Amino acid sequence: MVGLEQQDYQVIIELETIYGDNYGAIPGIYGLTYTRSLMGLQEVSFNIRPTIRDGDFIIANPFYDIIDGDMMLIVKDGSESKFWIHAANIISDLNVDEPVKTITAYSAEYEFSRKKYKGLDLPGRILYYVEGMPDKYKEDGNGLPREVLREVLERRGWTLSKIDETVAYRARHVSIGESSEYEFFTYLQERFDCIFHFDAIKREVR
């Protein structure tokens, strides 16, 4: 867990709807922390006050009532990352004399954790077919696509931007029952001995 204090870091968090409408930077944030990891979901959490100072006046924080689940956060800390808001709950903070809202959000691949994957049990699968690969990697003897990532990514409007050649030609027996799409990705990382990097701004995986 990495703690970020806004006075030490230039961190800006913007609120956005799932349709891309941006409300701008959220004021009144404190207690900001987030986790970074190469594998697995990243998490950001913070509290937001119901009031903010505007010069000599205390005014209502316009984001306090707006921010809720099924919205997105854009975290800007030198780069940009997108997060899905998972929970927005009102709590009491002994250090603040008014109820605050605590926000928990997960990195944008969390989108896949809320979608079902039907399952698969087939030998000789590859992750993704790239133009220029031999035809034998495109389909199996029954005419079925050997790649397993394209269908899931395209269904959600994501694309594969890059795949290392050492991984592209790996063929594995893929056997997984009904799960979430994110659990499917996690399984593939283990099965193919690789790590997926999700870029939610570009909606790309590499």
Side-chain angles (χ1 to χ4, degrees):
M1 179 71 73
V2 180
L4 298 181
E5 299 295 335
Q6 295 213 57
Q7 64 266 29
D8 296 330
Y9 296 80
Q10 189 61 35
V11 179
I12 297 172
I13 300 181
E14 297 178 350
L15 181 65
E16 190 174 274
T17 69
I18 59 175
Y19 305 107
D21 300 319
N22 191 293
Y23 287 93
I26 304 170
I29 286 176
Y30 73 97
L32 171 64
T33 61
Y34 71 88
T35 58
R36 300 171 184 265
S37 63
L38 289 176
M39 278 184 72
L41 294 172
Q42 299 184 63
E43 178 182 339
V44 61
S45 62
F46 58 86
N47 299 325
I48 177 173
R49 295 180 174 90
T51 59
I52 55 175
R53 181 173 291 279
D54 183 12
D56 295 330
F57 301 95
I58 301 296
I59 63 172
N61 188 338
F63 285 78
Y64 185 79
D65 292 326
I66 295 174
I67 190 168
D68 209 337
D70 289 327
M71 299 186 80
M72 307 289 293
L73 299 175
I74 300 178
V75 178
K76 298 182 176 181
D77 62 346
S79 61
E80 290 190 11
S81 302
K82 266 192 178 181
F83 290 77
W84 281 86
I85 295 178
H86 172 68
N89 300 315
I90 296 175
I91 64 169
S92 296
D93 185 337
L94 296 177
N95 298 313
V96 180
D97 59 1
E98 53 189 353
V100 301
K101 187 174 279 189
T102 183
I103 309 299
T104 302
Y106 297 109
S107 44
E109 60 267 32
Y110 177 67
E111 169 184 354
F112 296 105
S113 73
R114 312 193 314 172
K115 308 295 183 182
K116 285 186 177 180
Y117 181 72
K118 62 184 181 299
L120 184 67
D121 186 12
L122 287 172
R125 300 302 102 178
I126 64 171
L127 287 175
Y128 205 89
Y129 178 81
V130 179
E131 290 298 326
M133 294 175 68
D135 286 345
K136 66 178 182 179
Y137 288 96
K138 194 169 188 177
E139 294 180 346
D140 63 17
N142 296 315
L144 297 174
R146 291 186 63 188
E147 61 183 359
V148 294
L149 273 180
R150 186 185 301 271
E151 179 187 1
V152 176
L153 293 177
E154 290 186 350
R155 188 186 306 138
R156 307 298 166 212
W158 288 64
T159 58
L160 185 79
S161 63
K162 179 183 177 182
I163 182 169
D164 289 343
E165 187 172 334
T166 56
V167 177
Y169 290 93
R170 288 177 189 166
R172 299 287 188 270
H173 187 140
V174 174
S175 179
I176 183 173
E178 184 176 294
S179 62
S180 72
E181 290 176 349
Y182 184 74
E183 289 171 330
F184 179 54
F185 289 143
T186 300
Y187 168 80
L188 292 178
Q189 288 182 121
E190 296 172 352
R191 194 77 184 90
F192 285 84
D193 192 24
C194 63
I195 296 175
F196 298 150
H197 296 273
F198 294 84
D199 184 337
I201 303 297
K202 297 179 180 179
R203 297 184 74 78
E204 291 179 346
V205 178
R206 59 181 175 87

